[in-house]
């Protein structure tokens, strides 16, 4: 795909915080990648060996990722360090992932390398830790032919309920996925082929859904570093308008962040009418957020019909279900009590959003605890089967056997039901909150908090716990505060919102500083880890607080790197 795209006039565009742009044609990506592949082969990287990539969104990532593939090796994209205050935790996690995959080499840049020492020392890759610049200095290109069933990529699952698992994806699986995405999002006939993404490239939505899809179409891709989007969300919408993007995906929290942080002045002169596929996935989808986003940005040409709530996972390469193109979200009102007590769907006030029907080549079933297929409108575990499923968890046959059945079905671990042929998700099996014998999805308690004043959007978790001296499970809400208001007022609004929506009154509500709740590398809340830290008294605020804190943290990182470079 890269070779074919390099013969056409398509390119990558990197946008920085000042909206300066660096253009890199796919022909240049291919040229640099072949040079990097030559360097890896000279270094002694063998076919099938794993090469870990710890790089920001940048041209260097492209050189490393495609260079590793061209050398016949297997890229393992990992997230680079972003918080100095949590480096010890980061080093433990990264070292584990390097050891699990048996990475023979770590590729990074000069700045990130300064912070990676302990991770590399603990894992001891055979060829050490090198910069892309060092590896790519030679002039002799390299390119190794591979077979469709050869391992192409190891990407780690999100790890929202357990430690991230190494998902092994063959070349054929990646090709099947991008072909399914093309069916779900046909090529535009009357507009440029342009995608816009701020998603991290170590995550399947950004790497496969955006980068590899741009090669397959082929088309242009505009890339914004995730930390730049978080600091200034308007840059995402401005890039869609400026480049006439027709597809751009994001998790639900990003749409909510735009509602809170994007000012009308930043939207002056923008036109979002080209945005035909506003995908919303990777975390629970809020009907209220979708409605408010469409209403707010309609005046700049955005259409609610472009909103497409979707479902997927690392183990499927990415997409499993998509709703029809151009229809807009389908919302179903359900009775929360009946759903929790009986696992049955009846009409009610809780608004749930369809994530569509299976993408091309996929099947989806909802099964009971014994493996029997359930009828529509009955809650059970979601199973899926399709051509882009993983080969397994790398080096973990036991976990693979638990996830994949002998006839090729994947146990997703998600709970949901099917109504009128479309899938609705109710939560993760391991996150279920049991109150007075009723099984509640945590989202039932978390969704009403999206609009509670004083709570950060998307920064609250609902957990079941047994209070001290109690015998039955009760409801615990942990929420990050969004302003200076006294906690008592916010806590009471949280209780009122949860009671109004579910009839259940939280036993305990605890307000936390911004950035306190643990998250995965892709930004998903880790409910189980949050509960563990709460019970252990470890939920202390990190050094970084809010977006201003993020800017301070980035400045501190830059200063620390500069000092280290000077000392070196």
């Amino acid at each position: 795909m890269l070779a074919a795209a390099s013969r056409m006039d398509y390119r990558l565009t990197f946008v920085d915080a000042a909206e300066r742009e660096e253009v890199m044609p796919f022909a240049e990506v291919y040229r640099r990648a072949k040079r990097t592949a030559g360097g890896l082969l000279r270094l002694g990287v063998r076919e099938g060996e794993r090469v870990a990539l710890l790089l920001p969104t940048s041209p260097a990532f492209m050189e490393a990722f495609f260079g590793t593939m061209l050398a016949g090796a297997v890229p393992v994209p990992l997230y680079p360090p972003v918080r100095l205050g949590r480096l010890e935790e980061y080093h433990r996690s990264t070292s584990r992932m390097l050891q699990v995959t048996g990475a023979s080499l770590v590729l990074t840049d000069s700045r990130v390398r300064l912070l990676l020492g302990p991770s590399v020392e603990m894992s001891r890759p055979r060829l050490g830790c090198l910069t892309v610049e060092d590896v790519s200095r030679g002039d002799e290109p390299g390119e190794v032919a591979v077979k469709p069933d050869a391992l192409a990529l190891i990407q780690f699952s999100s790890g929202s309920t357990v430690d991230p698992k190494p998902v092994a994806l063959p070349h054929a699986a990646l090709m099947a996925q991008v072909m399914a995405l093309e069916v779900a999002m046909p090529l535009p006939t009357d507009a440029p082929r342009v995608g816009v993404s701020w998603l991290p490239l170590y995550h399947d939505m950004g790497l496969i859904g955006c980068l590899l899809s741009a090669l397959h179409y082929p088309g242009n891709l505009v890339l914004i570093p995730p930390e730049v989007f978080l600091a200034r969300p308007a840059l995402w919408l401005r890039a869609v308008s400026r480049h006439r993007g027709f597809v751009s995906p994001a998790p639900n929290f990003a749409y909510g962040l735009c509602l809170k942080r994007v000012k009308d002045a930043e939207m002056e002169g923008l036109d979002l009418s080209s945005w035909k596929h506003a995908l919303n996935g990777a975390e629970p989808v809020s009907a209220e957020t979708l409605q408010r986003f469409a209403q707010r940005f309609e005046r700049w040409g955005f259409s609610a019909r472009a909103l497409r709530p979707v479902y997927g996972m690392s183990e499927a390469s990415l997409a499993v279900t998509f709703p029809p193109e151009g229809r807009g979200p389908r919302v179903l009102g359900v009775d929360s009590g009946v759903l929790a007590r009986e696992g049955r769907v009846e009409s009610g006030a809780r608004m749930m959003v369809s994530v569509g029907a299976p993408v091309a080549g996929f099947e989806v079933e909802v099964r009971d605890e014994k493996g029997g297929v359930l009828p529509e409108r009955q809650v059970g575990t979601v199973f899926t089967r399709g051509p882009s499923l993983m080969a397994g968890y790398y080096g973990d046959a036991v976990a693979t056997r638990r996830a994949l059945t002998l006839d090729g079905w994947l146990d997703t671990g998600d709970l949901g039901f099917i109504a009128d042929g479309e899938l609705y998700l109710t939560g993760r099996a391991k996150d279920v909150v049991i109150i007075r014998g009723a099984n509640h999805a945590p989202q039932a308690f978390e969704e009403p908090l999206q609009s509670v004043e004083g709570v950060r959007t998307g920064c609250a978790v609902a957990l079941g716990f047994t209070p001290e001296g109690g015998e039955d499970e009760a409801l615990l809400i942990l929420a990050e505060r969004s302003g200076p208001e006294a906690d008592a007022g916010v806590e009471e609004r949280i209780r009122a919102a949860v009671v109004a929506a579910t009839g259940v009154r939280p036993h305990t509500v605890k307000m936390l500083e911004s950035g306190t709740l643990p998250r995965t590398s892709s930004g998903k809340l880790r409910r189980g880890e949050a509960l563990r830290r709460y019970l252990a008294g470890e939920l202390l605020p990190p050094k970084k607080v809010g977006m201003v804190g993020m800017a301070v943290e980035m400045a501190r990182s830059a200063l620390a790197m500069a000092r280290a470079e000077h000392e070196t």
Side-chain angles (χ1 to χ4, degrees):
M1 287 196 302
L2 178 59
S6 72
R7 294 190 288 271
M8 304 180 194
D9 188 25
Y10 295 111
R11 60 196 177 276
L12 300 174
T13 300
F14 298 88
V15 181
D16 68 12
E19 294 189 274
R20 294 186 296 260
E21 297 186 348
E22 179 181 357
V23 175
M24 190 178 186
F26 280 123
E28 179 66 7
V29 175
Y30 189 33
R31 186 187 70 80
R32 292 192 194 182
K34 286 192 292 185
R35 189 176 62 184
T36 302
L40 291 172
L41 293 170
R42 285 193 305 274
L43 192 64
V45 172
R46 298 188 287 265
E47 187 174 346
E49 278 196 305
R50 280 72 58 208
V51 176
L53 315 181
L54 287 107
L55 291 154
T57 298
S58 62
F61 180 93
M62 304 302 158
E63 296 177 45
F65 179 78
F66 291 113
T68 299
M69 279 191 164
L70 287 171
V74 182
V76 185
L78 304 177
Y79 63 102
V82 292
R83 293 180 178 177
L84 291 180
R86 291 181 174 173
L87 272 181
E88 186 176 342
E89 178 184 330
Y90 171 81
H91 288 313
R92 284 197 302 269
S93 174
T94 302
S95 174
R96 172 190 165 273
M97 290 189 277
L98 293 175
Q99 291 171 353
V100 164
T101 57
S104 63
L105 172 67
V106 174
L107 278 183
T108 185
D109 61 26
S110 59
R111 291 183 176 274
V112 174
R113 185 181 182 183
L114 295 170
L115 299 174
L116 289 180
S119 300
V120 176
E121 288 173 12
M122 286 188 279
S123 56
R124 297 185 181 279
R126 181 173 68 86
L127 298 172
C129 178
L130 298 172
T131 67
V132 179
E133 183 181 11
D134 289 338
V135 171
S136 305
R137 280 180 176 158
D139 295 325
E140 187 176 346
E143 190 164 350
V144 175
V146 293
K147 295 180 180 179
D149 59 353
L151 189 57
L153 168 69
I154 294 178
Q155 62 170 350
F156 278 84
S157 62
S158 63
S160 56
T161 56
V162 296
D163 283 336
K165 293 189 178 74
V167 176
L169 299 172
H171 285 270
L174 296 180
M175 290 303 306
Q177 176 62 206
V178 294
M179 292 166 72
L181 289 174
E182 184 185 351
V183 174
M185 297 178 291
L187 284 169
T189 57
D190 57 349
R193 306 174 181 180
V194 181
V196 178
S197 173
W198 59 265
L199 299 168
L201 294 171
Y202 53 77
H203 185 254
D204 51 12
M205 211 169 177
L207 180 63
I208 300 171
C210 295
L211 179 59
L212 296 191
S213 286
L215 287 181
H216 176 70
Y217 271 96
N220 297 325
L221 179 62
V222 180
L223 293 168
I224 304 166
E227 64 273 14
V228 170
F229 162 76
L230 290 172
R232 193 180 167 197
L235 293 186
W236 176 34
L237 307 184
R238 292 170 67 86
V240 170
S241 173
R242 185 167 63 252
H243 292 274
R244 308 304 296 152
F246 87 103
V247 56
S248 188
N252 190 80
F253 90 86
Y255 293 92
L257 193 62
C258 287
L259 289 169
K260 281 195 171 185
R261 299 271 313 285
V262 176
K263 298 179 175 61
D264 286 358
E266 296 176 290
M267 298 294 296
E268 187 175 347
L270 299 195
D271 179 6
L272 300 179
S273 60
S274 66
W275 197 359
K276 303 301 183 185
H277 305 284
L279 309 181
N280 184 330
E283 62 184 25
V285 179
S286 164
E288 181 187 5
T289 299
L290 295 178
Q291 181 182 25
R292 290 174 58 216
F293 187 89
Q295 290 173 345
R296 165 82 192 281
F297 295 102
E298 181 182 23
R299 59 190 283 199
W300 290 285
F302 183 79
S303 170
R305 292 180 176 275
L307 288 166
R308 302 184 74 182
V310 295
Y311 171 58
M313 63 200 64
S314 303
E315 289 85 348
S317 294
L318 180 59
V320 173
T321 63
F322 262 58
E325 177 188 7
R327 182 191 69 186
R330 172 179 285 179
V331 178
L332 181 66
V334 305
D335 185 312
S336 293
V338 174
L339 196 72
R341 291 189 303 272
E342 305 175 28
R344 184 167 51 83
V345 177
E346 282 194 4
S347 297
R350 182 187 173 192
M351 295 294 105
M352 302 196 67
V353 182
S354 163
V355 290
V359 297
F362 268 79
E363 303 169 78
V364 169
E365 291 181 351
V366 175
R367 301 182 181 181
D368 61 23
E369 294 179 354
K370 296 181 180 179
V373 179
L374 290 167
E376 287 206 352
R377 297 176 181 261
Q378 288 284 338
V379 175
T381 302
V382 178
F383 280 73
T384 187
R385 180 168 63 180
S388 67
L389 287 188
M390 64 176 181
Y393 295 117
Y394 186 81
D396 194 339
V398 174
T400 300
R401 284 196 296 272
R402 288 175 183 158
L404 290 172
T405 66
L406 293 176
D407 54 352
W409 287 87
L410 172 72
D411 180 349
T412 68
D414 290 315
L415 299 176
F417 62 88
I418 293 174
D420 299 322
E422 298 193 14
L423 179 65
Y424 294 77
L425 298 172
T426 60
R428 292 283 297 175
K430 292 184 179 180
D431 288 334
V432 166
V433 180
I434 304 173
I435 306 292
R436 295 191 293 275
N439 296 332
H440 297 268
Q443 290 84 359
F445 305 117
E446 294 164 0
E447 287 169 3
L449 308 183
Q450 296 282 343
S451 55
V452 171
E453 188 178 352
V455 177
R456 289 186 73 203
T457 302
C459 296
V461 293
L463 305 160
F465 82 123
T466 304
E468 188 173 346
E471 297 180 357
D472 298 325
E473 190 163 80
L475 178 60
L476 165 68
I477 301 290
L478 303 176
E480 294 180 4
R481 60 174 65 88
S482 65
E485 185 180 350
D487 288 349
V490 182
E491 289 174 7
E492 193 49 45
R493 286 200 293 272
I494 287 174
R495 285 191 168 91
V498 172
V499 169
T502 67
V504 177
R505 183 172 178 81
H507 177 280
T508 301
V509 176
K510 184 173 180 61
M511 301 303 298
L512 305 169
E513 295 293 339
S514 298
T516 303
L517 289 172
R519 292 179 178 270
T520 68
S521 62
S522 58
K524 295 181 182 179
L525 289 163
R526 299 178 64 195
R527 295 185 182 88
E529 177 63 12
L531 179 59
R532 186 197 69 76
R533 292 188 187 183
Y534 170 76
L535 295 175
E538 298 175 359
L539 274 181
L540 300 174
K543 293 181 179 180
K544 180 172 79 71
V545 180
M547 295 303 166
V548 173
M550 176 177 288
V552 173
E553 189 70 20
M554 291 170 67
R556 285 176 177 163
S557 299
L559 181 59
M561 291 175 181
R563 283 174 175 164
E565 286 176 345
H566 178 70
E567 291 169 3
T568 302

